[in-house]
Each structure stands twice: as structure tokens, then as C-alpha cells.
Amino acid sequence: MAINDIAPPVRSRRRIISPWSVGALLIGALIALPIISVLAQVFVPSGGAWSHLAATVLPLYLRNSLMLVLLTVSLALAIGVGAGWLIAGFDFKGRGSLQWALMLPMTMPGYVIAYVYFDRMSYAGPFQTTLREVFDWSRGDYWFPQVASLPGAAVLLALVLYPYIYLLTRAAFATQSLHLIEAARALGQTPRGAFFRIALPMARPAMVAGAAFVAMETLADYGTVQHLGVQTLTTGIFRTWFARGEPVAAAQLAAMLIGFVALALFLERFLRGSRRYVGDPAGRSASAARHPLRGWRALLVVTLCVVPILFGFALPVFELLRLTWLVGDPMWGQRFFAFAANSLFLAALAVIVLLVLGLFLGYARRMDGGRVVRATLGIAGIGYAMPGAVIAVGVLLPLSWADRSLDAWMRASFDYSTGLLLTGSYVGLIFAYAVRFLAISLNTVEASLQRIPPSLDDAARGLGSGPARTLMTVHFPLLRGGLLSAAIFIFADVMKELPATLIVRPFNLDTLAIRTYRLASDGRLGEASTSALMIVALGIIPVILLSRAMDEPGGH
């Protein structure tokens, strides 16, 4: 009797489309719309422009893009994973300050740090000029590392992007079960062996998510590589579209970039397969028994943690402070603070929208990992690797079509013109941010969900909790660290975002990023230093607060 009562609902559920799939399909359609708008240009004849690109600069674009991503990701992994393990696994004097200070470089825009180091370390800069004066050298008498080069760009990008990896791996290391590490030590493993055999493999989802962020951010970077003269696919898209007036050929370059990112995301998910890396909720976390360090070992660890902070944050900020004191922004005052208010409002709104979307999609994959959900997750990741200007154009195309269609219908039906409701609006700008940065929220949520054992879902279901209630009462508290990490990433990225904001923003809406870039690109670094410092200052406050919140019980 009981079996007959239970069986029919099970068969019925299999025939009903999951609401998670429906929601994911709607989100995926919206996110894919700008990408499809750009890709649709691929099927339009380019008039020989593509053949010219393929025969001249395309091999250079491909080679530089690949090398830049490999170098940047390798350096960021070395810094981020190393710092995450030192902070999570060891106790030493100064650890409390260093754990949040290591996130400070992510508040520094890549194009700003490129301007600062190029200005200071170029041949005509003060550093090399002083060397020539002191040692009576001339050109060719000495060797000096070139900032305006591919390795130079990789080092600078790694310095401001490694916090993506550090924050995720730090949370992963801190929440790992201490029982497993103690068992490895009991079996004869040294601390180093336990790290490479137990801790590092268990942190792989966080490492992969962080490395994916760094790789896609590097592929999409424009300001840094453009100023340092490194020709990549992104600079090629800008140059082909906006300088040469060849949107079709530029769209074909963008399609190639999208294809590479899609292939990378597919390979990562394929290699990961069905393997899961979960913690042990019943066991003590590794952060509960940090290994104490004293003497020269503590000094070495502190030095290793200070180096990326010094070069990725402290030295650039000191130079910006000096320039602000000497020159400063001539618009300092009410007009300048309006730029800051605009940046804060857009960043806060983007954080709320993207966390909601990322949490829904991440939980949809856990509840219903069907083809629709998997395809949506792939689409969400592709958008992050596209240059902001390309996404902006892709957003404007459907929005302007919707505005024209609505205006034509209103004129024909009511003799009333609606004008532009979506184009050049906050809706369009947040839409562009969603396409650009949804991968940050989604990948972070997914990495956090993978550390939650499926047995908790089964226990909640057995107690009568539905999916929504399980999410809010069981998963949400455990996801706190991942959500806070995503909030930091999104806030910092939106504060620094330039191309999409510049193109899609409402009329007369200027942000700190736009102000900084306009002045710095004109060689007025002294005037741009004030707005650049404001971007950094506004990013420091949430970094400190969220980092401390993550150290509370359950936050990590």
C-alpha cells in the first residue's frame, strides 16, 4: 500500500520540467543575448579584413595572449596558494594584519599600476635616470627589466589578481578537516608532504576557480596591455573595431576569444568529472590548530607575505599619494565626490544582483544538473572573458532594438514617443555587469557548494525541508565565506570597470574609473592620482570588514 502511494508521484516528477531548469534557462537566455548579438556578426562578410588580420597580426595576438595567460596564472597561483596556506595553516606574529592586507592589491586597477610602474621605471623615469647619474652610465651600459613588455605585463597583472586565488584557497585550507592532516602525519608524512598530498588536492576546486578568474581577467584586460604595448586579442578587437572601423572582423576576433574560453571551461569540467572535494563537518578544521612559528621561520613567512603587498599595493599607493600631494585633481570638491557616489552605487547594486543570480544558478546545478543548467553555467563563464567594450556593444544592440520597437508601437497605437528607456540606462549598465561578472559569483558559489557534503541535503530532505528551505537554513550559513568572497570580487571589479561603463552608462554619468583613465591616458598621472586613490580607498573598507567576517565561526 505504501509503495503504491509513493510510486506515482516519483514518475510524475520525472515528467515535469524542473523549476530550476526553467529559471536557469531564462537567466542563460538573457546572459547569452549580448554574446549572440556579437557572434551574429561572424556570419557577415568582412570584406577581406579577416584575411588581412590572419596573414599579418593574428598569430602575434594568439601567441601573446597565450603566453600572457600562462605567465600571469602561474605567478598568481604561486603567490595566492602560498599565501593562503601560510595564513590558514600557521600562527605567527602579524598574521592577523597580513590576512586582510594580502587582499589589498585587488583594489588597485591594473591600468593604474601599469601607469605608475611605467612612469617610475621607464628609461626616462626617475629610477633609471638616477642610476645613470650616479654611475655615469649611458644607454647600452647596463641592463634593466623592461616594464613595457609581455613579462612585465604578466608580473603587474599577477600582483593585482593573485587575491582571487588567495582568498578562495585560504577559505578552502581553513575549512579542511584536521583529522585527515593528522592521519597523514601519523603515517609518517612531513608537514610538507601532508600539504602536497592532502591539503593541496582538497583545495583544487578553489584553486581552479581562482585560476579561472585570473585567466579570464587577463584575457579581457585592455588598459594594462594597451599602455605597455603588448598586442593581444583584446587590443586587436579594440583596434579593429574602433580604430579601423571593421566591426565584423572585430567580432570574428571576439568569437575566437570566446571559443578559447569555452574550450578551457569545458576541459576543466571534463577533467574534474564527478569527483568531489568535501570537508568533514564533524571534524576540527585546520584553522583550529595552526602550527606556531617563531624566530627566523616566522620572519621568513612574514617576508613572503609582505612582498606581494609591497609591490602590488604599498609602493603604487605611496606614489599616488605623492602625486596627489604635489598635483591632485583640479575638480576636487562636490563634483569629484559625485564621481565616488556613482561608483559606490553601481558597485553595491551589482553585488546584490550578481550574488542572487550566482546563488540561484549554483544551487540549480546542485539540485538539477541537467543539460539546460550545465549549458547556462558555461554561458555565464564565457562572458567574463569578453572585453568590456565588446559586451557593451552586445548589450546596446538588443536594447536599442527593443527601444525602437517599443517606440514605434507606442507611436502607432497612442501617438506617443517613449524615447530611449533601456539604452543608456541603469538597467542596461547592470545588464552589462551581469554578463561581464556573473562568472565571479557563480564560480565562487560552486566552489563553496562542492565543500558541502551531499549527506546534509539528504538529512534535510528526510526532515521534510524543501529545496528553498534547505538552501536558506542549511546551505546559506555554510556558503557565507564563498558569498563574501564573491562580494569582494564583484565590488572591486565593478569599481575598476571602465569600457562597459564608459559605453553603456547613462548620459553624463561619470565614475572614478572613467575619470582616472581619461586623465592618465592623456599623460596627466598627477591629476589622475586622486581618483585612483579614491578607488583604492573605497575598496579597502569592504575588504577589511569582509575579511574579518570570514574569520568568525563559520565564515572562513
Side-chain angles (χ1 to χ4, degrees), residues 64-77 153-154 157-158 160-165 168 206-222 225 232-234 257-258 260-265 268 381-387 436 439-440 443 493:
N64 286 349
S65 297
L66 178 62
M67 291 301 300
L68 184 64
V69 168
L70 290 177
L71 287 175
T72 303
V73 170
S74 298
L75 291 172
L77 277 172
L157 287 173
V160 298
L161 294 178
Y162 81 84
Y164 287 85
I165 298 174
L168 291 175
M207 291 170 56
V208 171
F213 290 157
V214 173
M216 290 188 287
E217 189 70 24
T218 302
L219 283 172
D221 177 80
Y222 172 72
V225 293
T232 63
L233 280 172
T234 306
L257 183 59
I258 293 173
F260 288 150
V261 176
L263 178 61
L265 292 173
E268 190 279 325
I382 293 174
Y384 190 60
M386 294 183 66
R436 178 76 172 84
I440 297 179
N443 286 0
D493 270 345

Coordinates of all heavy atoms in Angstrom, one line a residue, residues 64-77 153-154 157-158 160-165 168 206-222 225 232-234 257-258 260-265 268 381-387 436 439-440 443 493:
N64 N 50.8 36.1 -28.0 CA 50.9 36.9 -26.8 C 49.8 36.6 -25.8 O 50.1 36.7 -24.6 CB 50.9 38.4 -27.3 CG 52.2 38.9 -27.9 OD1 53.2 38.2 -27.9 ND2 52.1 40.0 -28.5
S65 N 48.6 36.4 -26.3 CA 47.5 36.1 -25.4 C 47.8 34.8 -24.6 O 47.6 34.8 -23.3 CB 46.2 36.0 -26.1 OG 45.9 37.2 -26.8
L66 N 48.2 33.8 -25.3 CA 48.5 32.5 -24.6 C 49.6 32.7 -23.6 O 49.5 32.2 -22.4 CB 48.8 31.5 -25.6 CG 49.2 30.1 -25.1 CD1 48.0 29.5 -24.3 CD2 49.6 29.1 -26.2
M67 N 50.7 33.3 -24.0 CA 51.9 33.5 -23.1 C 51.5 34.3 -21.9 O 51.9 34.1 -20.8 CB 53.0 34.1 -23.8 CG 53.7 33.1 -24.9 SD 54.3 31.6 -24.1 CE 55.5 32.2 -22.9
L68 N 50.7 35.4 -22.1 CA 50.4 36.3 -21.0 C 49.5 35.5 -20.0 O 49.7 35.7 -18.8 CB 49.6 37.5 -21.6 CG 49.2 38.6 -20.6 CD1 50.4 39.2 -20.0 CD2 48.3 39.6 -21.2
V69 N 48.5 34.7 -20.5 CA 47.7 34.0 -19.6 C 48.5 33.0 -18.8 O 48.4 32.9 -17.5 CB 46.5 33.3 -20.3 CG1 45.8 32.3 -19.4 CG2 45.6 34.3 -20.8
L70 N 49.4 32.2 -19.4 CA 50.2 31.2 -18.7 C 51.1 31.8 -17.7 O 51.2 31.3 -16.6 CB 51.0 30.4 -19.8 CG 50.2 29.5 -20.7 CD1 51.2 28.8 -21.7 CD2 49.5 28.4 -19.9
L71 N 51.8 32.9 -18.0 CA 52.7 33.6 -17.1 C 51.9 34.2 -15.9 O 52.3 34.0 -14.7 CB 53.5 34.6 -17.8 CG 54.6 34.2 -18.7 CD1 55.3 35.4 -19.4 CD2 55.6 33.4 -17.9
T72 N 50.8 34.9 -16.2 CA 50.0 35.5 -15.2 C 49.4 34.5 -14.2 O 49.5 34.7 -13.0 CB 48.9 36.4 -15.8 OG1 49.5 37.4 -16.6 CG2 48.2 37.2 -14.7
V73 N 48.8 33.5 -14.7 CA 48.2 32.5 -13.9 C 49.2 31.7 -13.1 O 49.0 31.5 -11.9 CB 47.4 31.5 -14.7 CG1 46.9 30.3 -13.9 CG2 46.2 32.1 -15.4
S74 N 50.4 31.4 -13.6 CA 51.4 30.7 -12.9 C 51.9 31.6 -11.7 O 52.1 31.1 -10.6 CB 52.6 30.4 -13.8 OG 52.2 29.5 -14.9
L75 N 52.2 32.8 -12.0 CA 52.6 33.7 -10.9 C 51.6 33.9 -9.9 O 51.8 33.9 -8.6 CB 53.1 35.1 -11.5 CG 54.3 35.1 -12.4 CD1 54.5 36.4 -13.0 CD2 55.6 34.7 -11.5
A76 N 50.3 34.1 -10.3 CA 49.2 34.3 -9.3 C 49.0 33.1 -8.5 O 48.7 33.2 -7.3 CB 48.0 34.7 -10.1
L77 N 49.1 31.9 -9.1 CA 48.9 30.7 -8.3 C 50.0 30.5 -7.3 O 49.8 30.1 -6.1 CB 48.9 29.5 -9.3 CG 47.6 29.1 -10.0 CD1 47.9 28.0 -11.0 CD2 46.6 28.6 -8.9
A153 N 54.0 42.9 -18.2 CA 52.6 43.0 -18.0 C 52.1 41.8 -17.2 O 51.2 41.9 -16.4 CB 51.9 42.9 -19.4
A154 N 52.7 40.6 -17.4 CA 52.3 39.4 -16.6 C 52.6 39.6 -15.1 O 51.7 39.3 -14.2 CB 53.0 38.2 -17.1
L157 N 50.0 42.2 -13.7 CA 48.7 41.7 -13.6 C 48.6 40.6 -12.5 O 47.6 40.6 -11.8 CB 48.3 41.0 -14.9 CG 47.9 42.0 -16.1 CD1 47.7 41.2 -17.4 CD2 46.7 42.8 -15.7
A158 N 49.6 39.8 -12.3 CA 49.6 38.8 -11.2 C 49.6 39.5 -9.9 O 49.0 39.0 -8.9 CB 50.9 37.9 -11.4
V160 N 48.1 42.2 -9.0 CA 46.8 42.7 -8.6 C 45.7 41.7 -8.7 O 44.5 41.9 -8.3 CB 46.4 44.0 -9.5 CG1 47.4 45.1 -9.3 CG2 46.3 43.6 -11.0
L161 N 46.0 40.5 -9.3 CA 45.0 39.5 -9.5 C 45.2 38.3 -8.6 O 44.2 37.5 -8.4 CB 45.0 39.0 -10.9 CG 44.6 40.0 -12.0 CD1 44.7 39.4 -13.4 CD2 43.1 40.5 -11.8
Y162 N 46.3 38.1 -7.9 CA 46.5 36.9 -7.1 C 45.5 36.8 -5.9 O 45.2 35.7 -5.4 CB 47.9 36.9 -6.5 CG 48.2 37.8 -5.3 CD1 47.9 37.3 -4.1 CD2 48.7 39.0 -5.5 CE1 48.1 38.2 -2.9 CE2 48.9 39.9 -4.4 CZ 48.6 39.4 -3.1 OH 48.8 40.2 -2.0
P163 N 44.9 38.0 -5.4 CA 43.9 37.8 -4.3 C 42.8 37.0 -4.7 O 42.1 36.4 -3.8 CB 43.5 39.3 -4.1 CG 44.7 40.1 -4.4 CD 45.3 39.4 -5.6
Y164 N 42.4 36.9 -6.0 CA 41.3 36.0 -6.4 C 41.6 34.5 -6.0 O 40.8 33.8 -5.5 CB 41.2 36.0 -8.0 CG 40.6 37.2 -8.5 CD1 41.4 38.3 -8.8 CD2 39.2 37.2 -8.8 CE1 40.8 39.5 -9.4 CE2 38.7 38.4 -9.4 CZ 39.5 39.5 -9.6 OH 38.9 40.6 -10.2
I165 N 42.9 34.1 -6.1 CA 43.3 32.8 -5.7 C 43.5 32.7 -4.2 O 43.1 31.7 -3.6 CB 44.5 32.3 -6.5 CG1 44.2 32.3 -8.0 CG2 45.0 31.0 -6.1 CD1 45.4 32.1 -8.9
L168 N 40.2 32.4 -2.1 CA 39.4 31.2 -2.2 C 40.2 30.0 -1.6 O 39.7 29.2 -0.9 CB 39.2 30.9 -3.7 CG 38.1 31.8 -4.3 CD1 38.0 31.4 -5.8 CD2 36.8 31.6 -3.7
A206 N 38.9 25.3 -5.3 CA 39.1 26.7 -5.1 C 40.2 27.2 -5.9 O 40.2 28.3 -6.4 CB 39.4 26.9 -3.6
M207 N 41.3 26.4 -6.1 CA 42.4 26.8 -6.9 C 42.0 27.0 -8.4 O 42.4 28.0 -9.0 CB 43.5 25.8 -6.8 CG 44.2 25.7 -5.5 SD 45.4 24.3 -5.3 CE 46.4 24.6 -6.7
V208 N 41.2 26.0 -8.9 CA 40.8 26.1 -10.3 C 39.9 27.3 -10.5 O 40.0 28.0 -11.5 CB 40.1 24.8 -10.6 CG1 39.4 24.9 -12.0 CG2 41.1 23.6 -10.7
A209 N 38.9 27.5 -9.5 CA 38.0 28.7 -9.6 C 38.8 30.0 -9.6 O 38.6 30.9 -10.5 CB 37.0 28.7 -8.5
G210 N 39.8 30.1 -8.7 CA 40.6 31.3 -8.7 C 41.5 31.5 -9.9 O 41.6 32.6 -10.5
A211 N 42.1 30.4 -10.4 CA 42.9 30.4 -11.6 C 42.0 30.8 -12.8 O 42.5 31.5 -13.7 CB 43.6 29.1 -11.9
A212 N 40.8 30.3 -12.9 CA 39.9 30.7 -14.0 C 39.6 32.2 -13.9 O 39.6 32.8 -15.0 CB 38.6 29.9 -13.9
F213 N 39.4 32.7 -12.8 CA 39.1 34.2 -12.6 C 40.3 34.9 -13.2 O 40.2 35.9 -14.0 CB 38.9 34.6 -11.2 CG 37.7 34.1 -10.6 CD1 37.5 33.9 -9.2 CD2 36.6 33.8 -11.4 CE1 36.3 33.5 -8.7 CE2 35.4 33.3 -10.8 CZ 35.3 33.2 -9.5
V214 N 41.5 34.5 -12.8 CA 42.7 35.2 -13.2 C 42.9 35.1 -14.7 O 43.2 36.1 -15.4 CB 44.0 34.7 -12.5 CG1 45.3 35.3 -13.0 CG2 43.9 35.0 -11.0
A215 N 42.7 33.9 -15.3 CA 42.9 33.7 -16.7 C 41.9 34.6 -17.5 O 42.3 35.3 -18.5 CB 42.7 32.3 -17.1
M216 N 40.7 34.6 -17.1 CA 39.7 35.4 -17.9 C 39.8 36.9 -17.7 O 39.6 37.6 -18.6 CB 38.3 34.9 -17.4 CG 37.9 33.5 -17.9 SD 36.2 33.0 -17.6 CE 36.2 32.8 -15.8
E217 N 40.2 37.3 -16.5 CA 40.5 38.7 -16.3 C 41.7 39.1 -17.1 O 41.8 40.2 -17.7 CB 40.8 39.0 -14.8 CG 40.9 40.4 -14.4 CD 39.5 41.1 -14.5 OE1 38.5 40.5 -14.4 OE2 39.5 42.4 -14.7
T218 N 42.7 38.3 -17.2 CA 43.9 38.6 -18.1 C 43.5 38.7 -19.5 O 44.0 39.6 -20.3 CB 45.0 37.5 -17.9 OG1 45.3 37.4 -16.5 CG2 46.2 37.8 -18.7
L219 N 42.7 37.7 -20.0 CA 42.3 37.7 -21.4 C 41.5 39.0 -21.7 O 41.6 39.5 -22.8 CB 41.4 36.5 -21.7 CG 42.2 35.2 -21.9 CD1 41.2 34.0 -22.1 CD2 43.1 35.3 -23.2
A220 N 40.7 39.5 -20.8 CA 39.8 40.6 -21.0 C 40.5 41.9 -20.7 O 39.9 43.0 -21.0 CB 38.5 40.5 -20.2
D221 N 41.7 41.9 -20.2 CA 42.3 43.2 -19.8 C 42.7 44.0 -21.1 O 43.1 43.4 -22.1 CB 43.6 42.9 -19.0 CG 44.4 44.2 -18.7 OD1 44.0 44.9 -17.7 OD2 45.3 44.5 -19.4
Y222 N 42.4 45.3 -21.0 CA 42.8 46.2 -22.1 C 43.7 47.3 -21.7 O 44.7 47.6 -22.3 CB 41.5 46.8 -22.7 CG 41.8 47.8 -23.7 CD1 42.3 47.5 -25.0 CD2 41.6 49.2 -23.4 CE1 42.6 48.5 -25.9 CE2 41.8 50.2 -24.4 CZ 42.3 49.8 -25.6 OH 42.6 50.8 -26.6
V225 N 47.6 46.1 -20.9 CA 48.4 45.7 -22.1 C 48.5 46.8 -23.1 O 49.5 46.9 -23.9 CB 47.8 44.4 -22.7 CG1 48.0 43.2 -21.7 CG2 46.3 44.6 -23.0
T232 N 47.5 41.8 -27.8 CA 46.8 40.6 -27.5 C 45.5 40.6 -28.3 O 45.2 41.6 -29.1 CB 46.4 40.5 -26.0 OG1 45.6 41.7 -25.7 CG2 47.7 40.6 -25.2
L233 N 44.7 39.6 -28.1 CA 43.4 39.5 -28.8 C 42.5 40.7 -28.4 O 41.7 41.2 -29.2 CB 42.7 38.2 -28.5 CG 43.2 37.0 -29.3 CD1 42.5 35.7 -28.7 CD2 42.8 37.1 -30.8
T234 N 42.6 41.1 -27.2 CA 41.7 42.2 -26.7 C 42.1 43.5 -27.3 O 41.2 44.2 -27.8 CB 41.8 42.3 -25.2 OG1 41.6 41.0 -24.5 CG2 40.9 43.3 -24.6
L257 N 38.1 34.5 -29.3 CA 38.4 34.6 -27.9 C 37.4 33.8 -27.1 O 37.7 33.1 -26.1 CB 38.4 36.1 -27.5 CG 38.7 36.4 -26.0 CD1 40.1 35.9 -25.7 CD2 38.7 37.9 -25.8
I258 N 36.1 33.9 -27.5 CA 35.0 33.2 -26.8 C 35.2 31.7 -27.0 O 35.0 30.9 -26.0 CB 33.7 33.6 -27.4 CG1 33.4 35.1 -27.0 CG2 32.6 32.7 -26.8 CD1 32.1 35.6 -27.7
F260 N 38.1 30.0 -27.3 CA 39.2 29.6 -26.4 C 38.7 29.4 -25.0 O 39.0 28.5 -24.3 CB 40.3 30.5 -26.5 CG 41.1 30.4 -27.8 CD1 41.7 31.6 -28.3 CD2 41.2 29.3 -28.5 CE1 42.4 31.5 -29.5 CE2 41.9 29.2 -29.7 CZ 42.5 30.3 -30.2
V261 N 37.9 30.4 -24.5 CA 37.4 30.4 -23.1 C 36.4 29.2 -23.0 O 36.5 28.5 -22.0 CB 36.8 31.7 -22.8 CG1 36.1 31.6 -21.4 CG2 37.8 32.8 -22.8
A262 N 35.6 29.0 -23.9 CA 34.6 27.9 -23.9 C 35.3 26.6 -23.8 O 35.0 25.7 -23.1 CB 33.6 28.0 -25.0
L263 N 36.4 26.4 -24.6 CA 37.2 25.2 -24.6 C 37.8 25.0 -23.3 O 37.8 23.9 -22.7 CB 38.2 25.2 -25.7 CG 39.1 24.0 -25.8 CD1 38.3 22.8 -26.1 CD2 40.2 24.2 -26.9
A264 N 38.4 26.0 -22.7 CA 39.1 25.9 -21.4 C 38.1 25.5 -20.3 O 38.4 24.6 -19.5 CB 39.7 27.2 -21.0
L265 N 36.9 26.1 -20.3 CA 35.9 25.8 -19.3 C 35.4 24.3 -19.5 O 35.2 23.6 -18.5 CB 34.7 26.7 -19.4 CG 34.9 28.2 -19.0 CD1 33.7 29.0 -19.3 CD2 35.3 28.3 -17.6
E268 N 38.1 21.9 -18.2 CA 38.2 21.9 -16.7 C 37.1 21.0 -16.1 O 37.3 20.2 -15.2 CB 38.1 23.3 -16.2 CG 38.4 23.5 -14.7 CD 37.2 23.1 -13.8 OE1 36.1 23.4 -14.2 OE2 37.4 22.5 -12.7
G381 N 30.2 31.6 -17.8 CA 31.6 31.7 -17.7 C 32.2 32.4 -18.9 O 33.2 33.1 -18.7
I382 N 31.6 32.3 -20.0 CA 32.2 32.9 -21.2 C 32.2 34.4 -21.2 O 33.1 35.0 -21.6 CB 31.4 32.4 -22.5 CG1 31.7 30.9 -22.7 CG2 31.8 33.1 -23.7 CD1 30.8 30.2 -23.8
G383 N 31.1 35.0 -20.7 CA 31.0 36.4 -20.6 C 32.1 37.1 -19.9 O 32.5 38.2 -20.3
Y384 N 32.7 36.5 -18.9 CA 33.7 37.1 -18.1 C 35.0 37.3 -18.9 O 35.8 38.2 -18.6 CB 34.0 36.3 -16.9 CG 34.9 37.0 -15.8 CD1 34.5 38.1 -15.3 CD2 36.1 36.4 -15.5 CE1 35.3 38.8 -14.3 CE2 36.9 37.0 -14.5 CZ 36.5 38.2 -14.0 OH 37.3 38.8 -13.1
A385 N 35.3 36.5 -19.9 CA 36.5 36.6 -20.7 C 36.4 37.6 -21.8 O 37.4 37.9 -22.5 CB 36.9 35.2 -21.2
M386 N 35.2 38.1 -22.1 CA 35.0 39.0 -23.2 C 35.4 40.4 -22.7 O 35.1 40.8 -21.6 CB 33.5 39.0 -23.7 CG 33.1 37.7 -24.3 SD 31.4 37.8 -24.9 CE 31.6 39.0 -26.3
P387 N 36.0 41.2 -23.6 CA 36.3 42.6 -23.2 C 35.1 43.4 -22.9 O 34.0 43.1 -23.5 CB 37.0 43.1 -24.5 CG 37.5 41.9 -25.2 CD 36.5 40.8 -24.9
R436 N 29.2 40.4 -17.7 CA 30.7 40.5 -17.6 C 31.1 39.8 -16.3 O 32.2 39.1 -16.3 CB 31.1 42.0 -17.5 CG 32.5 42.2 -17.3 CD 33.3 42.0 -18.5 NE 34.7 42.4 -18.3 CZ 35.7 41.7 -17.8 NH1 35.4 40.5 -17.4 NH2 36.9 42.2 -17.6
A439 N 30.3 35.2 -13.8 CA 31.2 34.1 -13.6 C 31.8 34.2 -12.2 O 32.1 33.1 -11.6 CB 32.2 34.0 -14.6
I440 N 32.1 35.4 -11.7 CA 32.7 35.6 -10.4 C 31.8 35.0 -9.3 O 32.2 34.2 -8.5 CB 33.0 37.0 -10.1 CG1 34.0 37.6 -11.1 CG2 33.5 37.2 -8.7 CD1 34.3 39.1 -10.9
N443 N 31.2 30.9 -10.0 CA 32.3 30.0 -9.8 C 32.6 29.9 -8.3 O 33.0 28.9 -7.7 CB 33.5 30.5 -10.5 CG 33.4 30.1 -12.0 OD1 32.4 29.6 -12.5 ND2 34.4 30.5 -12.8
D493 N 35.8 44.7 -8.8 CA 35.8 44.7 -10.3 C 34.9 45.8 -10.9 O 35.3 46.5 -11.8 CB 35.4 43.3 -10.8 CG 36.6 42.4 -11.0 OD1 37.7 42.9 -11.0 OD2 36.4 41.2 -11.2

